[in-house]
């Protein structure tokens, strides 16, 4: 029979677990405000969905006033389109638009409950941002990143110079939205080594409030989405460069054989060939597995500046 001391410890642990779970649920419901860093297509999409679905005020941070203006104009366009297609009323569109607040001051995130960073995939840039967020945001704020390839553990470590201090790093998580955010339902939630269960649960529940379907991934190279998708695209490029099939045959067989809306080469163009190459390099370097070796043709196209839709030329001309 267990000693009274052991029984007391077990009881205390059970109470702590119940309390922890209850806090997770309560925090998910208590997210009353959101901050989004980055006014590009991803950041603006996340902000707009939060305003529409969760109906919370969103502070959008960017270092460029031009980027903020362009992002809000994009939001106006999307809202007008939804009204024209009777997906929402004009009043609903106006209410969502009123919740979007642009700012060039990171300090304006000093009272938000949840922050999502959506800046380019530059490690140092993200590390610097999270170091600042740890100082600016309240102690309860969830610090999320939209990264598609950078280690969440490394981003979390950037919140402090003392690895034993997990007060901020335990609140770091990834909410990796799929592009375009207003259309795609999927979000993968990735925990770093330091991420607490409370943070993970809160992130999952908040993304569900945004109408998203969540998948939980470990902090490994490529996470779930890119670990599966990018080798598929890379293999299609290898099939093209080795003459297994031409561009149209490769895309047609996947569209008409597996019922995907885009073939892999067209999809690569829409993602950006430079982005595809960057992710393949991360997979290859961090795993050391030759199956992730980037296609030679993919590298040459990036060298030529043929990046896909955004540059006007990739596997297709735009």
């Amino acid at each position: 029979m267990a000693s009274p001391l052991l029984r007391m410890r077990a009881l205390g642990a059970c109470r702590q677990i119940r309390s922890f779970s209850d806090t997770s649920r309560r925090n998910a419901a208590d997210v009353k405000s959101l901050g989004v860093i980055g006014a590009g297509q991803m950041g603006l999409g996340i902000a707009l969905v939060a305003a529409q679905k969760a109906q919370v005020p969103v502070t959008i941070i960017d270092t460029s006033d031009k980027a903020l203006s362009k992002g809000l104009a994009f939001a106006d366009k999307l809202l007008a389109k939804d009204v024209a297609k009777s997906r929402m009323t004009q009043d609903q569109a106006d209410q969502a638009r009123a919740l979007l607040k642009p700012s060039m001051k990171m300090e304006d995130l000093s009272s938000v409950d949840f922050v999502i960073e959506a800046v380019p995939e530059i490690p140092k840039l993200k590390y610097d941002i999270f170091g600042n967020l740890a100082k600016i945001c309240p102690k309860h704020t969830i610090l999320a990143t939209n990264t598609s390839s950078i280690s969440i553990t490394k981003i979390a470590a950037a919140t402090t110079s003392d690895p034993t201090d997990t007060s901020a790093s335990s609140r770091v998580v990834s909410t990796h939205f799929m592009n375009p955010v207003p259309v795609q339902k999927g979000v993968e939630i990735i925990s770093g080594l330091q991420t607490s269960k409370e943070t993970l649960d809160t992130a999952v529940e908040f993304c569900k409030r945004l109408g998203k379907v969540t998948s939980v991934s470990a902090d490994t190279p490529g996470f779930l989405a890119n670990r599966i998708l990018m080798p598929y695209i890379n293999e299609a490029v290898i099939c093209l460069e080795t003459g297994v099939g031409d561009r149209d045959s490769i895309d047609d067989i996947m569209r008409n054989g597996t019922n995907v809306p885009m073939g892999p080469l067209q999809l690569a163009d829409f993602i950006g060939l430079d982005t595809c190459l960057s992710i393949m390099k991360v997979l290859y370097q961090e795993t050391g597995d030759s199956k992730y070796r980037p296609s030679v043709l993919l590298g040459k196209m990036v060298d030529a500046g043929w990046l896909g839709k955004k540059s006007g030329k990739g596997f297709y001309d735009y």
Side-chain angles (χ1 to χ4, degrees):
M1 181 180 292
S3 70
L5 178 59
L6 287 177
R7 287 201 300 272
M8 288 176 64
R9 285 177 177 173
L11 181 60
C14 289
R15 286 173 176 165
Q16 189 174 28
I17 290 169
R18 283 198 297 271
S19 174
F20 191 65
S21 177
D22 290 344
T23 302
S24 299
R25 288 194 292 271
R26 187 172 67 248
N27 281 352
D30 283 351
V31 175
K32 305 296 185 185
S33 57
L34 175 69
V36 173
I37 302 175
Q41 186 174 358
M42 287 300 296
L44 196 282
I46 294 167
L48 184 57
V49 167
Q52 289 177 294
K53 299 292 186 180
Q55 298 178 348
V56 295
V58 185
T59 302
I60 307 170
I61 304 293
D62 203 288
T63 56
S64 165
D65 186 57
K66 183 178 179 181
L68 288 167
S69 297
K70 184 178 179 181
L72 291 173
F74 181 54
D76 291 336
K77 182 179 178 180
L78 292 178
L79 289 169
K81 185 177 180 181
D82 283 345
V83 172
K85 294 193 174 185
S86 299
R87 293 172 182 158
M88 64 192 318
T89 66
Q90 186 61 55
D91 282 347
Q92 289 172 326
D94 291 342
Q95 289 171 12
R97 179 63 177 81
L99 290 171
L100 303 179
K101 175 191 173 185
S103 173
M104 295 176 67
K105 299 177 181 178
M106 190 83 82
E107 290 75 15
D108 284 344
L109 300 178
S110 62
S111 62
V112 299
D113 301 315
F114 203 113
V115 176
I116 301 176
E117 165 273 311
V119 303
E121 292 290 277
I122 302 170
K124 187 179 185 307
L125 175 61
K126 291 182 187 284
Y127 300 157
D128 288 346
I129 286 172
F130 276 81
N132 287 330
L133 289 175
K135 299 171 185 175
I136 293 169
C137 296
K139 299 300 183 183
H140 71 275
T141 304
I142 301 297
L143 308 177
T145 173
N146 188 57
T147 184
S148 60
S149 60
I150 300 171
S151 166
I152 313 308
T153 299
K154 289 182 179 178
I155 292 175
T159 61
T160 178
S161 58
D162 179 2
T164 64
D165 179 9
T166 60
S167 58
S169 61
S170 66
R171 293 181 281 115
V172 175
V173 69
S174 175
T175 52
H176 179 212
F177 290 79
M178 303 296 112
N179 192 26
V181 180
V183 176
Q184 300 286 14
K185 292 270 186 195
V187 177
E188 58 180 351
I189 314 293
I190 304 106
S191 294
L193 191 61
Q194 310 94 320
T195 307
S196 70
K197 184 179 182 299
E198 177 182 354
T199 296
L200 175 64
D201 290 347
T202 303
V204 168
E205 291 305 315
F206 182 66
C207 287
K208 287 180 179 178
R209 282 179 61 190
L210 304 186
K212 300 303 181 183
V213 178
T214 59
S215 297
V216 177
S217 170
D219 185 18
T220 60
F223 313 135
L224 277 177
N226 286 325
R227 186 73 169 258
I228 297 167
L229 176 64
M230 287 303 160
Y232 158 70
I233 288 175
N234 192 58
E235 191 62 33
V237 181
I238 291 173
C239 285
L240 179 65
E241 75 180 3
T242 58
V244 176
D246 61 24
R247 179 197 69 185
D248 292 342
S249 293
I250 291 168
D251 276 358
D252 284 347
I253 192 59
M254 298 312 296
R255 272 195 301 263
N256 299 301
T258 63
N259 203 32
V260 293
M262 287 186 187
L265 301 178
Q266 183 185 16
L267 179 57
D269 275 355
F270 273 73
I271 294 171
L273 303 191
D274 53 339
T275 300
C276 294
L277 179 62
S278 175
I279 295 171
M280 285 306 300
K281 284 181 176 179
V282 168
L283 288 171
Y284 185 42
Q285 291 167 0
E286 294 199 10
T287 65
D289 193 328
S290 61
K291 73 180 180 181
Y292 297 119
R293 178 185 62 82
S295 160
V296 174
L297 176 59
L298 183 61
K300 286 182 177 179
M301 293 183 72
V302 171
D303 289 342
W306 299 351
L307 308 182
K309 191 173 185 294
K310 61 186 174 184
S311 69
K313 183 176 180 60
F315 294 107
Y316 294 80
D317 293 329
Y318 299 90

